[in-house]
Amino acid sequence: MTENPAFPPPNEPAGTEERTADVLPFPLKKDTTPPPAPELPAAGEVKPGEWEAELSDTDDPETEGLAEGAPVDPPREVYPPSVAEWMEAREKARLPVLPDWVKLPDQRKAVRRWAVRHYSTVAGYHAVRLPCIYTPKLLAYTPRGAWRWSTAVGRWVFDAEGRGLRLAAVAAEDAGEYLKLSRQRNDRVRLRGIVAAVGGFVGLVAVLTLYFMAPSWLVLLSVATLATALGLSGAPADRPLIDRAKVTFRKRKLSSDIVVRAHDAANLTTKDQSIAFPRPIGRDGDGWRVVVDLPYGKTFEDAVKAHARLASGMDIAPTQLFLDKDETSGRRVSYWIADRDPLAVPAGRTPLLGATRVDFWKPFPWGVDERGNPVMASMLWLSLLVGAVPRQGKTFSARTIALAAALDPYVRLIVFDGKASPDWRAFTKVAHRIGFGIVPRNGIDPVEHLINALMELKADVEDRYHRLSELPLHICPEGKLTPEISRDRKLNMPLTLVVVDEVQEYLQHPVHGKTVLELLVYLARVAPAVGVSVMNSTQKPDDTACPSVLRDQHQARFSLRVGSWQVSDVVLGAGSYSEGLDASKLLKSHKGVGLCKGMTDDSGIVRTYLADGRDADTVLTRARTLREDEGTLTGDAVGETTSVRGADAILGDVAAVLGRREDKVWSETIVDRLAELNPDAYGEWAALEGRAKADQLAAALKPYGIKTDQVWGKTDTGKGANRRGIERQHIIDAITERNKKRAAK
């Protein structure tokens, strides 16, 4: 996806703590480095325009007379598309002269950051320990070191290493061998004694010279050097003078031996075959990129299953190892080994804080991937399901998308929160329709308010389909919504985002649950094509709380941490686990981190940006100002309370427009009368076509068990006809039942 130019560069990810965790076996976005192309004929072997002719030629005299089924060497490349594409493939197969970390500024920055972090850590580690640990240990080990040096010199001068041979000659009573060894020892001792005496004399002179003639700093440096040498030689083998800096894997160079060892430990090699490296190991951002060819018969799925053993063989945490599938070969796997657990590093505050406005027709910043690269989201033409266990950042992840929509003054927002938390309260500044919880307050039933809003939206969607098909070609060339149409206030077809957080609370409502389900299924399936996107989030994605008939309508899925791989499969879609996507492997420390599938061609990890309560309020205050300036503030945000009338108000209104002697009335007649009774509430219904009017009234009365059947009546000309309508008695029965329930409460 392309970046939205309305945004500044994303913030630097905050936090540098290293984390370790359990297995995280899922692939990320595909490796963008092109694989080596298959071996093709060299340039010039085939002339342009002759490739296809050569392969399709069946009049080759060398093949005439061959028996049917006779073995014939197959062509090296079967039906390539064109010479131009063949040459392009050869160009892509060439490895770059300079590695990416030399050519690309962001790669150079990552390598430079790694080197500074590495060497500064090592230097700081030893600098802190030098005065308080290393110096006392040095003084303690110096006498032992002096003794070891003097002993070693004495053994060298007196030829102690030959003593064993001389004793062996004595034991064997070999006088000739003993005399030979003795003469050799005497010669060595004589020469080495002279060397030792001269060396001692020179050393004594040097010490006296330093003491009497050299400056004090040189004397101290010499003493420190001598003491350090003696201390190092006197240190015990199990307790060396200088400790090793606590350098983790990310501070060590990854080698092919380590990678081979990891595959051996993971049982991904055989006795006859090991792995192969089609390209060199190299740095890739804040980690290493390794591409391997598994032995024949081993697949990417085998590598996914062995994820934990691979990480152990590389001596890293499983959350530092990421697998990418290569489409060119079933046995080729690309690994990205992070320097640290990237999912435990927060993505930082949302760039929306610095954005003046957003064009919702273009991708907007949602977070970063495991490598810190920006992830741009788009809600056009799709619906999104967000699932997670509580307190993993589900609401904040969804709210970031809604904040981006709020900053586009031409996007209509409909927001309902089933748990009535403070997370969505600030959206009252901009939302066209908004509601909280399922308990009536201040005379308003939020569930009925939701039904009214969804029915209103359903009618709008149906109307959009008709109007888009009727617009002139110079306005709507392909019969689809365009940015110009969505921003034309006269046409009244703005982009719309429907957000239902904790949707299971509404779906499990004892009275209206089925109606909410039917309306959401319809909108999630049909509405995105005309610019109405639906985003549902839930912490209970099972069939009871959130039926599959609704889940399956979402083209995009986003799963933060869940309890098991089965639940992950429910959120991301059946078969996701077999693809290596398992959100249950995410840790509690991975707040706001999830697997995204269906928003783009690739499935990947998203570390969503954070917008806390204050940040959300800041963004929404700016969004309200934008909408006021553009004149697009509508609905509940400006106090238009027509839609907050109780859902059962329709019963009283229908009863009011029925004549005393009218037992059965056509639906379109009822809608026209309702529009005259209350234009604010039913004016849009009256503007619909005849059949659409009947559908709208049927949807409004369905929650109360009232069906619209065929009713006989007469037109204005007096001609009889059968049309959809209602019976007066059904309305009376529904009102009676409603009153009984209210009295019982």
Side-chain angles (χ1 to χ4, degrees):
M1 290 180 286
T2 58
E3 295 188 11
N4 192 334
F7 300 97
N11 298 337
E12 187 74 11
T16 57
E17 298 81 11
E18 296 183 9
R19 309 290 178 93
T20 58
D22 295 332
V23 182
L24 189 64
F26 44 77
L28 304 179
K29 296 187 290 296
K30 301 171 185 175
D31 185 13
T32 57
T33 303
E39 184 179 358
L40 299 175
E45 291 184 9
V46 181
K47 296 180 180 180
E50 294 181 353
W51 185 292
E52 294 82 353
E54 180 178 340
L55 291 178
S56 60
D57 188 6
T58 58
D59 297 328
D60 189 350
E62 296 183 2
T63 62
E64 293 182 359
L66 289 178
E68 184 177 355
V72 178
D73 292 336
R76 300 171 72 181
E77 184 71 13
V78 181
Y79 301 110
S82 67
V83 174
E85 295 184 6
W86 165 67
M87 296 297 294
E88 183 180 356
R90 290 182 64 89
E91 290 291 334
K92 291 183 177 179
R94 295 173 182 169
L95 292 176
V97 176
L98 295 176
D100 289 343
W101 68 267
V102 175
K103 297 188 302 181
L104 303 179
D106 58 335
Q107 295 282 4
R108 288 200 302 269
K109 180 180 178 182
V111 173
R112 183 169 61 251
R113 186 168 60 246
W114 171 84
V116 170
R117 187 168 62 240
H118 169 60
Y119 293 109
S120 63
T121 300
V122 174
Y125 182 88
H126 293 307
V128 169
R129 286 158 179 76
L130 178 62
C132 57
I133 297 179
Y134 294 163
T135 300
K137 289 171 68 175
L138 182 69
L139 297 176
Y141 295 156
T142 297
R144 181 185 293 178
W147 171 256
R148 287 181 176 177
W149 271 27
S150 61
T151 302
V153 171
R155 289 175 59 83
W156 176 74
V157 170
F158 294 103
D159 193 23
E161 66 271 19
R163 184 171 181 271
L165 295 176
R166 294 191 294 273
L167 292 177
V170 172
E173 298 180 356
D174 189 348
E177 183 68 18
Y178 175 74
L179 291 174
K180 178 182 177 181
L181 293 173
S182 296
R183 286 193 296 269
Q184 185 184 50
R185 175 188 178 278
N186 293 336
D187 294 340
R188 285 183 175 181
V189 170
R190 187 180 304 110
L191 177 61
R192 293 178 180 181
I194 295 173
V195 173
V198 172
F201 177 76
V202 172
L204 179 62
V205 172
V207 170
L208 293 176
T209 302
L210 285 172
Y211 183 77
F212 290 106
M213 300 180 62
S216 57
W217 66 267
L218 185 58
V219 175
L220 293 177
L221 179 61
S222 302
V223 173
T225 303
L226 179 61
T228 301
L230 294 175
L232 289 173
S233 61
D238 60 333
R239 288 178 295 170
L241 173 64
I242 299 178
D243 299 335
R244 280 192 61 187
K246 304 303 180 182
V247 181
T248 60
F249 175 81
R250 67 185 179 90
K251 307 279 180 75
R252 299 202 308 268
K253 178 178 176 59
L254 182 66
S255 66
S256 58
D257 292 336
I258 295 176
V259 178
V260 172
R261 179 190 68 193
H263 285 78
D264 290 339
N267 297 324
L268 290 176
T269 58
T270 63
K271 294 181 180 179
D272 302 329
Q273 297 183 65
S274 183
I275 61 173
F277 295 88
R279 55 175 285 192
I281 299 174
R283 291 290 298 176
D284 186 1
D286 291 333
W288 301 88
R289 175 64 65 181
V290 183
V291 180
V292 303
D293 286 337
L294 300 175
Y296 293 101
K298 299 292 185 179
T299 64
F300 172 78
E301 288 71 21
D302 295 327
V304 170
K305 294 177 182 178
H307 182 276
R309 295 191 297 273
L310 282 171
S312 176
M314 296 181 187
D315 194 19
I316 59 173
T319 49
Q320 293 175 246
L321 176 61
F322 299 86
L323 288 74
D324 301 326
K325 190 172 184 178
D326 194 306
E327 298 296 341
T328 63
S329 174
R331 67 187 185 100
R332 178 165 293 179
V333 184
S334 177
Y335 302 106
W336 187 69
I337 298 96
D339 293 336
R340 56 183 174 178
D341 179 7
L343 307 185
V345 180
R349 299 172 72 185
T350 175
L352 295 175
L353 289 170
T356 54
R357 63 191 298 162
V358 170
D359 184 355
F360 209 61
W361 281 89
K362 299 179 181 179
F364 53 88
W366 191 24
V368 295
D369 62 12
E370 74 285 354
R371 296 178 55 191
N373 299 320
V375 175
M376 309 296 285
S378 176
M379 287 296 296
L380 291 178
W381 325 124
L382 57 81
S383 54
L384 174 66
L385 175 65
V386 182
V389 297
R391 291 172 294 280
Q392 283 300 128
K394 168 177 54 63
T395 297
F396 281 25
S397 300
R399 191 171 66 179
T400 302
I401 295 177
L403 289 174
L407 282 175
D408 188 336
Y410 295 99
V411 175
R412 183 174 293 170
L413 274 169
I414 298 175
V415 179
F416 283 84
D417 177 16
K419 63 182 179 181
S421 67
D423 298 330
W424 298 94
R425 297 285 176 173
F427 278 84
T428 55
K429 298 179 180 180
V430 296
H432 178 72
R433 298 285 181 251
I434 192 166
F436 306 100
I438 59 174
V439 179
R441 294 178 63 88
N442 302 323
I444 300 175
D445 188 335
V447 181
E448 295 177 347
H449 185 22
L450 172 63
I451 293 175
N452 281 337
L454 295 181
M455 289 193 301
E456 177 185 32
L457 190 58
K458 180 183 179 183
D460 180 42
V461 168
E462 293 172 342
D463 186 51
R464 289 189 185 197
Y465 275 104
H466 290 293
R467 288 195 290 151
L468 286 173
S469 63
E470 296 170 354
L471 286 174
L473 292 179
H474 69 278
I475 297 178
C476 187
E478 299 180 0
K480 296 181 179 179
L481 191 69
T482 64
E484 293 74 20
I485 295 175
S486 69
R487 291 164 184 161
D488 190 335
R489 295 177 59 188
K490 295 181 180 179
L491 295 176
N492 192 27
M493 286 189 284
L495 289 180
T496 303
L497 178 64
V498 181
V499 181
V500 185
D501 192 15
E502 302 298 349
V503 67
Q504 75 278 355
E505 299 297 325
Y506 296 111
L507 297 177
Q508 292 179 307
H509 192 274
V511 177
H512 303 296
K514 292 184 178 180
T515 303
V516 173
L517 176 62
E518 292 177 358
L519 291 170
L520 286 177
V521 167
Y522 173 84
L523 293 174
R525 182 180 69 248
V526 176
V530 288
V532 178
S533 301
V534 180
M535 180 169 60
N536 295 316
S537 64
T538 178
Q539 58 181 267
K540 295 180 65 179
D542 56 87
D543 287 336
T544 302
C546 186
S548 60
V549 66
L550 175 59
R551 296 196 310 269
D552 294 343
Q553 306 306 323
H554 296 83
Q555 299 90 337
R557 313 288 188 93
F558 184 64
S559 178
L560 297 92
R561 189 176 74 89
V562 294
S564 65
W565 71 265
Q566 292 89 345
V567 179
S568 175
D569 235 26
V570 168
V571 178
L572 295 174
S576 298
Y577 180 75
S578 62
E579 299 173 10
L581 301 174
D582 184 5
S584 67
K585 298 304 181 182
L586 295 168
L587 307 179
K588 290 183 178 179
S589 59
H590 298 156
K591 303 289 187 182
V593 179
L595 301 179
C596 187
K597 181 180 179 182
M599 190 170 287
T600 62
D601 292 337
D602 299 326
S603 301
I605 290 180
V606 182
R607 292 184 285 149
T608 56
Y609 289 122
L610 174 65
D612 58 19
R614 292 184 178 180
D615 292 343
D617 187 72
T618 300
V619 172
L620 291 171
T621 300
R622 188 185 312 131
R624 183 178 178 91
T625 303
L626 285 173
R627 291 167 184 263
E628 289 175 344
D629 294 341
E630 298 289 344
T632 57
L633 206 60
T634 60
D636 295 350
V638 292
E640 295 177 359
T641 59
T642 55
S643 68
V644 301
R645 301 164 67 245
D648 58 4
I650 185 70
L651 298 177
D653 292 342
V654 171
V657 298
L658 288 176
R660 293 185 178 181
R661 297 182 179 180
E662 291 181 318
D663 294 331
K664 298 180 180 181
V665 183
W666 286 343
S667 296
E668 57 189 79
T669 303
I670 295 294
V671 170
D672 292 337
R673 293 178 182 178
L674 289 173
E676 295 178 1
L677 175 68
N678 192 337
D680 293 335
Y682 306 108
E684 295 182 359
W685 294 16
L688 301 175
E689 300 293 336
R691 184 169 182 175
K693 291 181 181 180
D695 292 341
Q696 184 66 47
L697 183 63
L701 296 177
K702 187 175 181 180
Y704 309 101
I706 301 175
K707 297 181 179 180
T708 54
D709 300 320
Q710 292 296 321
V711 172
W712 176 263
K714 292 185 179 181
T715 63
D716 296 337
T717 60
K719 185 178 180 180
N722 257 330
R723 297 181 183 177
R724 293 172 62 186
I726 61 173
E727 295 186 19
R728 179 187 183 87
Q729 188 59 42
H730 292 168
I731 297 295
I732 296 175
D733 294 341
I735 293 176
T736 302
E737 184 66 22
R738 179 199 64 182
N739 294 338
K740 288 182 180 179
K741 290 181 178 180
R742 289 182 176 178
K745 293 181 180 180

